Amino acid sequence: KRHGVYNFKQKKRYSVTDLVSCQRKSLYKQLGVEQEELLADLTVEGMWSAVRGDFLHNMTYAYKWREMDMEYKVPLNDGREAMVIGRLDMYDWKTKTVMDLKSTKNVQWQIKKGFLPKLEHILQVQCYGTMFEQYIPIENLNIVYVDNSDIVTYKVKKHDLTNWIKTRIQEIENAVDNKQMINGEPSGLCQFCRYQTKCQSDGNGIEHTPMSAPKGGSDEKK
């Protein structure tokens, strides 16, 4: 992967992030819809946010079992298979604990406002638990939130998401085969999505003014 060598087809291949985020966004990816350009200006703060996660992920070097990749096969109703790709941040073999690291900002403020832990993060670590449990013993699931000054860990209840994963993927595959559009699942993350114009035009999606635009759109207007 680091050398840019891939031996797989993009379609019917999902990341765990695809499953726990907006279904419509995952559908756009499967359809090969071109991503748009975000309209927000690139600031120093924005650049730091983009690389902060990479710096903080150096914490994973404290564990011998880290950044473990997984390919998880999901049988579809028509006999085909889809593949879910996941990468486990950290695993403590002594306590049999899966840990997913999330870099963010203002951790204490988000906790006070009830924004953490996020549902998609809970589902994500539960997906890892489901996918990896057939290979390694898992007794605990933790989400570790980290900002520039705080580290907060949340314990998440184990839950077998085998059926949830299959249902989630099957609904997307059905939409592809039947040429149907899935309803959007608007959230605060929509402002960072690179399909906002497309999502708004398809209806039942974002309601705010799109903060992204098709590539080359500004030049065409000129």
Side-chain angles (χ1 to χ4, degrees), residues 17-95:
T17 304
D18 290 335
L19 297 184
V20 302
S21 60
C22 175
Q23 248 188 338
R24 174 177 284 186
K25 182 178 179 179
S26 298
L27 174 60
Y28 287 151
K29 289 183 178 181
Q30 291 300 312
L31 293 174
V33 176
E34 185 178 12
Q35 291 190 343
E36 303 171 1
E37 294 179 331
L38 293 177
L39 302 179
D41 293 331
L42 186 61
T43 63
V44 173
E45 181 181 357
M47 288 187 287
W48 167 242
S49 296
V51 301
R52 177 179 54 199
D54 293 333
F55 289 131
L56 292 177
H57 266 75
N58 287 332
M59 291 174 55
T60 63
Y61 286 96
Y63 293 85
K64 293 181 179 180
W65 293 44
R66 53 178 292 275
E67 295 187 345
M68 300 162 57
D69 292 325
M70 167 65 68
E71 293 185 346
Y72 179 81
K73 294 181 180 180
V74 178
L76 301 176
N77 292 342
D78 60 3
R80 297 175 298 170
E81 285 186 339
M83 187 77 73
V84 180
I85 309 303
R87 169 170 287 186
L88 198 60
D89 285 339
M90 298 174 286
Y91 173 75
D92 185 350
W93 63 271
K94 294 180 180 179
T95 60

Side-chain angles (χ1 to χ4, degrees), residues 118-137:
K118 296 182 181 297
L119 176 59
E120 59 264 30
H121 296 163
I122 294 173
L123 289 171
Q124 185 172 1
V125 76
Q126 287 177 333
C127 280
Y128 290 146
T130 300
M131 294 166 59
F132 280 86
E133 192 163 35
Q134 57 182 310
Y135 299 103
I136 56 177

Side-chain angles (χ1 to χ4, degrees), residues 6 8 19 48 85 104 145 187-188 198 216:
Y6 298 90
F8 59 84
L19 297 184
W48 167 242
I85 309 303
T104 184
Y145 288 103
S187 72
K198 171 70 173 170

Side-chain angles (χ1 to χ4, degrees), residues 2-15:
R2 287 179 178 174
H3 294 282
V5 178
Y6 298 90
N7 59 0
F8 59 84
K9 295 181 180 180
Q10 185 66 30
K11 293 185 178 181
K12 293 181 179 54
R13 189 174 176 92
Y14 297 81
S15 69

